[in-house]
Amino acid sequence: MRFTKDHEWLTGDEIATVGITAFAADALGDVVFVELPEPGTVVTAGDPSGEIESTKSVSEIYAPADGEIVEINPAVVDDPALINSDPFGAGWLYKLRVTGTPDTLDEAAYQALIAGASA
């Protein structure tokens, strides 16, 4: 699993599964709405690729790499609370055919990032 500075995670290489981290889900509070890109949408790393609305705020989802959306998770659209209850499992957002090299952090570097953010 790799992470972005914008608190997305991804697994896989050619086809990556993408979601937001538990840290981000906790910071958002109770997620009540998710808007995801349509399959076939081409995204650029760092650009918005969806939106998450919680009881606290509305936040962008940022593409962790250049690529094309190949699948979205309909379960999370129907039940956005999955992002809070299982952000690294059933709460995944979409699958991305990666065409560029993601600028990601490993687990240790991400933990250091969030430790600094909560200090």
Side-chain angles (χ1 to χ4, degrees):
M1 185 169 289
R2 298 167 301 192
F3 304 88
T4 70
K5 293 177 182 171
D6 294 317
H7 308 289
E8 283 83 26
W9 59 262
L10 66 159
T11 59
D13 293 316
E14 184 180 327
I15 303 292
T17 302
V18 177
I20 67 166
T21 65
F23 177 84
D26 289 344
L28 283 169
D30 294 333
V31 176
V32 296
F33 178 77
V34 178
E35 182 180 298
L36 298 174
E38 293 293 322
T41 302
V42 175
V43 297
T44 301
D47 285 354
S49 61
E51 193 173 87
I52 296 177
E53 184 177 331
S54 72
T55 54
K56 291 183 183 179
S57 67
V58 175
S59 296
E60 301 279 5
I61 302 163
Y62 296 99
D66 294 347
E68 178 186 348
I69 305 298
V70 294
E71 182 181 347
I72 64 165
N73 181 358
V76 83
V77 173
D78 293 341
D79 184 7
L82 288 171
I83 293 172
N84 297 112
S85 63
D86 192 9
F88 296 111
W92 65 274
L93 301 174
Y94 57 80
K95 294 190 182 205
L96 176 69
R97 178 174 288 112
V98 178
T99 58
T101 303
D103 181 18
T104 57
L105 307 168
D106 64 16
E107 176 84 23
Y110 183 72
Q111 291 301 321
L113 174 77
I114 62 176
S118 61

